[in-house]
Amino acid sequence: MKKQTALVLGIVASFAIAGCGSNSKPEQSQKQQAAPMTAKKLPPGHPPIGNKTALPPGHPDISGMNRMGMPPHGMGMNGGMMPGMHPQSMTKLTKPVELPEEVKKTWKFADVIVIDKTTGKVIKEAKVKAGDVIKVGNTEIKILYIVPDLKLMNNAYTSASNEPNNPAIIVKATQNGKVTFEGPLYQKFPQIFTINNPKYDVKLKGISKG
């Protein structure tokens, strides 16, 4: 009887040892698979991934991006022109302007400056309202609209809000009776459009409430 009991215990012990040995390799394999991969460093200029908000070295400034995550009218991340882009000069407003009445009542004035392209100096500064005309040499610049948050929506120029998120003025410039430019001038993105004057440039410094 004792021999039989010892034999049974020996068999059980051998199975237990064999079982431990067979399980050791899968556990090691699982540990190897679960080991975290070493994160690769993002190349310079790569946008943030997931919830990481810190920009990698060399990443351009994204403060000028609009609510859709892209700057308006083909602008670069830092507010400069995208490669291959050039300042545009419309001679006719290609989209209608549809501003909410609240916007028209709130934003009454725009501060604009006139710059001599040769010297880079400001030669004139004026606080204007819609309907006013600025005269620079033989060029007349009429202020058509003052917009706090200019966007192209539903195939029309409008203000996306009543806050100065993307201030702009829409103007019409004429020289000797001929229209040289009709379109928007942005405060944050002055590189997009030009009044198409060989000597002078007009820029928007800001807008204010009435």
Side-chain angles (χ1 to χ4, degrees), residues 116-132:
D116 188 317
K117 290 182 177 180
T118 304
T119 63
K121 293 182 178 180
V122 176
I123 61 171
K124 181 179 288 188
E125 184 169 353
K127 186 173 185 176
V128 297
K129 61 183 183 296
D132 286 351

Side-chain angles (χ1 to χ4, degrees), residues 41-47 54-60:
K41 184 179 179 181
L42 296 175
H46 196 288
L55 300 178
H59 195 286

Side-chain angles (χ1 to χ4, degrees), residues 71-151:
H73 292 281
M75 295 300 296
M77 293 287 194
N78 60 355
M81 300 300 295
M82 294 285 283
M85 295 291 290
H86 301 282
Q88 302 176 52
S89 182
M90 298 189 298
T91 54
K92 182 179 181 182
L93 198 60
T94 58
K95 307 290 183 183
V97 180
E98 300 175 359
L99 298 180
E101 288 299 321
E102 183 182 5
V103 169
K104 294 179 182 178
K105 293 177 182 179
T106 303
W107 300 94
K108 295 292 187 179
F109 300 100
D111 293 316
V112 298
I113 56 175
V114 179
I115 301 173
D116 188 317
K117 290 182 177 180
T118 304
T119 63
K121 293 182 178 180
V122 176
I123 61 171
K124 181 179 288 188
E125 184 169 353
K127 186 173 185 176
V128 297
K129 61 183 183 296
D132 286 351
V133 176
I134 302 172
K135 293 184 178 181
V136 184
N138 59 354
T139 298
E140 295 185 350
I141 303 159
K142 185 175 183 179
I143 311 299
L144 302 179
Y145 301 95
I146 299 172
V147 190
D149 196 3
L150 186 62
K151 296 288 188 301

Side-chain angles (χ1 to χ4, degrees), residues 72-73 150 157 166-168 184-190 192-193 204:
H73 292 281
L150 186 62
Y157 284 108
N166 189 33
L185 299 177
Y186 292 93
Q187 178 184 349
K188 294 182 179 180
F189 307 100
I192 300 178
F193 293 106
L204 173 65

